[in-house]
Amino acid sequence: MVDSSRRRDALLDAAAGLLLSRGYDKLTMVDVAEAADLSRTIVYRHFASKRELTDAVAARALADYAVRWRTALRDEPTPGTPASIYRAGFRVVARDPLLTAIATRDRDVFGRYLRDPAATMPGPAGPAFLGNFLTLQQQAGVIRKGVDLASVAVVLESLTAAIMTAIRAHHDEPDGPSPEALIDTVTEMIDRMLTPDEPDTDAAMALLDGLLDQR
């Protein structure tokens, strides 16, 4: 059982690296077997197809993201506020090329996988989900009253996509804004727009912990 688990992790590690370096469309199961120093039979014992393997790569990356985001959030000065949630999440994603590719649905990395109706990698949350989450945050006391949450949800969805794309586009440009500068700028905007004078961060963190524990 231990050997099987280690082999599966080795295959996922190899596939993640190859997705970033070659992309889904050029990736083969033979490539993954060779990169993991395992036989092709072992690969197919764990994953029936390249799509299923990529599903597993994305699922593991997102599960790891949830753990790292939760830790990063608790290190924020005011954890539980909308600004802290976005800043912690952005920072975790920006430091991980695979998570950045997932967040931006990078076609160079995922190619035809993104058009496969059987693929299980989740897409963007969307304004409806964000609106519901913002409502819960407002009820918890970390978003001020009187804010048009439906409009805010659309704005935040657009900002998230724009910032993640900018981070990817400007990552290697010495004269462009750093990921940290982009993150700090957008989260300061969110803070000024949404956070009340005395946010109830304890209630907000209890809410978030409850939502995460339901996953």
Side-chain angles (χ1 to χ4, degrees), residues 65-76 88 92 205 212:
Y65 163 75
V67 173
R68 291 159 62 191
W69 171 77
R70 198 172 191 168
T71 300
L73 180 57
R74 292 193 176 279
D75 291 335
E76 285 285 318
V92 171
M205 287 303 297
L212 287 172

Side-chain angles (χ1 to χ4, degrees), residues 5 17 39 41 47 56 58 61 63 66 75 81 121 125 127 152 164 171 174 177 190-191 213 215:
S5 177
S39 70
T41 301
F47 305 103
D75 291 335
T81 63
M121 186 176 78
V152 170
M164 293 313 309
H171 188 270
I190 292 170
D191 189 43
D213 290 340
R215 296 177 73 256

Side-chain angles (χ1 to χ4, degrees), residues 83-169:
S84 72
I85 289 170
Y86 277 84
R87 181 164 45 236
F90 278 137
R91 284 178 171 165
V92 171
V93 172
R95 293 167 183 166
D96 188 313
L98 181 59
L99 285 174
T100 300
I102 291 172
T104 58
R105 300 183 74 76
D106 190 334
R107 293 181 181 179
D108 291 336
V109 174
F110 292 107
R112 289 191 296 271
Y113 173 83
L114 296 174
R115 301 193 299 271
D116 188 337
T120 61
M121 186 176 78
F129 173 86
L130 287 175
N132 291 334
F133 179 63
L134 291 169
T135 298
L136 292 175
Q137 284 192 294
Q138 190 178 63
Q139 293 170 352
V142 289
I143 294 180
R144 58 186 178 81
K145 302 297 183 182
V147 176
D148 183 347
L149 296 181
S151 296
V152 170
V154 173
V155 170
L156 291 184
E157 183 192 32
S158 301
L159 278 175
T160 300
I163 292 300
M164 293 313 309
T165 300
I167 287 172
R168 183 184 66 183

